[in-house]
Amino acid sequence: MKIKGIDLRKNYKWIGIIITSLMLVFFLKVFIWDAKDIIVKANGISKGKDIVQAQEKGFKDELFITILNKSIPALEVNYKKEHKNYKSIKKFFVEKILNFDYQDPKTLFQAQISMLKEADDDLGEDLHGFYEEENSKENSTKDITQQVMKQEDLVIPTQNENSQSKEETKTANSIVEEPKENVKIISSPIQKPAKLTLDKNNPSIFIYHTHPTESYMPESVGNFHSLNRKYTVRAVADELTKSLKNKGYKVLHDETLHDYPSYQKSYVRSLETLTNHLNQYPSVKVVFDVHRDAAPNTDTARENSYIIINGQKVAKFAIVVGMQNENVEKLLVLANYIKAKSDEKYPGLAKKIIPKPYKFNQYNSDYYVLLEMGNTANTIDEAERTAKYLGEILNEVLEDIKN
């Protein structure tokens, strides 16, 4: 049996030609053939009328759009694409080796700047399955958003639960309601949330997590997403649950992993969990979705992530309000009241309220609070301390509004 050797030194030119040819074939596949499979959707806020789908175009039109998008990736970041259900072997290996989807330039940025993935996924989730019902208050919600963005602490007065009529003063840019029952906290009058009746014998508070794998230092694996629960928001919620139970409340803490193994559509899955619990326990009136924020990429991120209470570092917290909810006014009143109580007891612990143009499942209860407990610059110990102090704050809030 004879084996003929190949002298690479004599054939190195052919190797270069072969590699170049393969790269050319790959180039043609990505930039030309894929044009036939692409459907572009505008990343609209609501379902139906705000979604623009590409019309049937000729191959030249599709080719031009594809080349333009892939030549300037930033153009394509604001779009979502639907592909065929199958995934080719070539695409699979490219994703595994390079850690991004060549058909979605957005993933290239996220592979380089990990925080972009978390921010994009967290905000984008609301586009999936959140808008079954029509938003009959679209215009009024826009007015509210404009009013809120002009006010530093997002204090919006609303109708008190005991009043039967609403006195409104119309201005050029907004509608300001006359407060009916105020409580003086620090130096500003803060509108009380509506009175609430809590069942003493059955669960009245529900705590869960849309992103339960969100973790804190020292557990930074997976871009601060870990299955090791002792470093995650689940452990933080344990402390909040314990604190509220010690105050006499009956609390349910659900730990379903809505963001594992897939992070996409976490809010859709958490909505199912929330709905099931609300149906099973009609006594539940107050809902907390406990998250962990992402630290800004600044030199002062660490020192700005905590305050000192009783000689210990305590992570700051923030409340996020989805401005697309029909009950946004009531959500804002509760958020402002919690922040004011926090400012009174522990100044600096609560950050400014964060308005977002989404829903985040908050339409399910007027007493729904989306909490950002610390961020990726905090340790798990600091976040757990926050939960203990927040338990005290929430107890005072509930005591003020209980029937």
Side-chain angles (χ1 to χ4, degrees):
M1 180 176 181
K2 296 182 179 181
I3 299 177
K4 186 177 180 179
I6 299 176
D7 190 347
L8 295 179
R9 289 174 297 180
K10 295 181 180 180
N11 298 283
Y12 72 93
K13 293 182 179 179
W14 288 104
I15 295 175
I17 293 174
I18 293 174
I19 293 176
T20 302
S21 300
L22 291 175
M23 291 178 65
L24 180 60
V25 171
F26 181 79
F27 173 87
L28 292 173
K29 173 64 176 69
V30 173
F31 283 85
I32 298 178
W33 296 342
D34 280 358
K36 296 180 179 180
D37 298 333
I38 293 177
I39 298 174
V40 181
K41 285 187 177 180
N43 204 0
I45 291 299
S46 62
K47 200 173 184 179
K49 62 180 180 181
D50 289 331
I51 295 179
V52 180
Q53 184 166 329
Q55 303 294 326
E56 291 294 331
K57 296 182 176 66
F59 178 73
K60 292 182 179 179
D61 295 329
E62 294 284 7
L63 177 60
F64 173 76
I65 294 173
T66 303
I67 293 177
L68 183 62
N69 282 334
K70 293 183 181 296
S71 300
I72 311 176
L75 291 177
E76 201 171 29
V77 170
N78 290 327
Y79 289 86
K80 302 178 76 67
K81 295 189 300 181
E82 292 181 356
H83 304 285
K84 293 182 178 180
N85 293 328
Y86 69 85
K87 180 178 289 189
S88 66
I89 296 178
K90 172 209 65 179
K91 189 170 185 289
F92 175 79
F93 280 107
V94 169
E95 290 182 9
K96 289 298 182 182
I97 296 173
L98 302 180
N99 196 30
F100 74 91
D101 182 355
Y102 69 82
Q103 290 181 315
D104 188 354
K106 177 175 54 180
T107 60
L108 174 60
F109 300 149
Q110 293 169 345
Q112 301 302 316
I113 308 174
S114 57
M115 288 302 176
L116 288 181
K117 181 180 188 305
E118 182 171 359
D120 177 76
D121 286 346
D122 200 8
L123 295 179
E125 291 290 354
D126 274 23
L127 299 175
H128 300 281
F130 277 10
Y131 303 100
E132 293 81 9
E133 67 259 1
E134 295 184 1
N135 186 358
S136 60
K137 299 184 179 179
E138 180 178 356
N139 294 329
S140 61
T141 302
K142 291 180 180 177
D143 292 337
I144 295 169
T145 305
Q146 292 174 357
Q147 179 183 347
V148 168
M149 298 303 288
K150 291 180 181 178
Q151 299 185 42
E152 182 177 1
D153 286 329
L154 300 177
V155 177
I156 293 183
T158 61
Q159 180 180 355
N160 180 264
E161 69 281 0
N162 295 324
S163 61
Q164 299 298 321
S165 63
K166 184 183 295 184
E167 298 178 10
E168 299 178 345
T169 304
K170 295 188 178 181
T171 65
N173 297 320
S174 62
I175 297 178
V176 181
E177 299 176 24
E178 294 294 333
K180 303 301 185 303
E181 181 184 347
N182 294 327
V183 56
K184 191 82 171 180
I185 298 179
I186 307 178
S187 59
S188 301
I190 300 298
Q191 179 66 37
K192 270 190 177 182
K195 288 292 184 180
L196 178 65
T197 301
L198 298 180
D199 191 333
K200 297 180 180 179
N201 301 316
N202 294 292
S204 57
I205 299 175
F206 179 57
I207 301 176
Y208 77 132
H209 313 272
T210 297
H211 300 141
T213 66
E214 291 178 330
S215 63
Y216 303 84
M217 292 193 300
E219 189 79 353
S220 62
V221 297
N223 189 25
F224 287 91
H225 286 82
S226 174
L227 294 177
N228 190 352
R229 82 176 299 280
K230 72 176 182 177
Y231 294 113
T232 68
V233 291
R234 287 170 284 165
V236 174
D238 282 345
E239 294 299 326
L240 181 60
T241 300
K242 186 187 304 181
S243 177
L244 290 171
K245 283 185 175 180
N246 288 339
K247 303 296 183 181
Y249 300 98
K250 293 190 177 296
V251 185
L252 295 175
H253 179 201
D254 182 87
E255 300 185 29
T256 303
L257 298 181
H258 303 112
D259 60 347
Y260 180 84
S262 173
Y263 194 86
Q264 298 295 328
K265 297 189 178 180
S266 299
Y267 276 99
V268 176
R269 289 187 286 275
S270 68
L271 174 60
E272 182 178 359
T273 296
L274 173 62
T275 303
N276 289 340
H277 277 79
L278 292 178
N279 290 336
Q280 185 176 356
Y281 302 98
S283 56
V284 169
K285 303 298 181 183
V286 183
V287 179
F288 297 111
D289 186 0
V290 180
H291 291 249
R292 183 263 306 137
D293 202 359
N297 186 22
T298 63
D299 295 335
T300 59
R302 169 59 185 161
E303 61 187 82
N304 291 334
S305 68
Y306 64 84
I307 64 170
I308 303 297
I309 302 178
N310 296 327
Q312 294 181 310
K313 294 178 180 178
V314 182
K316 297 179 181 179
F317 77 91
I319 299 175
V320 179
V321 178
M323 302 303 292
Q324 287 292 325
N325 291 284
E326 290 78 3
N327 59 338
V328 63
E329 293 185 41
K330 295 178 180 179
L331 295 172
L332 282 168
V333 168
L334 178 60
N336 278 299
Y337 199 77
I338 293 173
K339 184 183 184 307
K341 278 289 186 181
S342 179
D343 291 344
E344 181 186 49
K345 291 180 66 66
Y346 306 107
L349 180 59
K351 297 189 288 188
K352 291 181 181 180
I353 296 165
I354 305 172
K356 292 294 183 181
Y358 304 100
K359 287 198 171 184
F360 301 125
N361 297 338
Q362 292 175 306
Y363 55 87
N364 285 278
S365 173
D366 294 338
Y367 304 91
Y368 190 120
V369 183
L370 194 160
L371 294 165
E372 297 276 10
M373 305 284 277
N375 60 36
T376 50
N378 291 115
T379 66
I380 182 64
D381 292 336
E382 292 165 356
E384 288 179 341
R385 293 182 194 122
T386 305
K388 295 177 182 178
Y389 289 114
L390 183 57
E392 297 178 15
I393 295 166
L394 295 175
N395 174 59
E396 290 197 11
V397 170
L398 294 175
E399 286 295 321
D400 285 348
I401 65 176
K402 280 196 309 184
N403 279 323

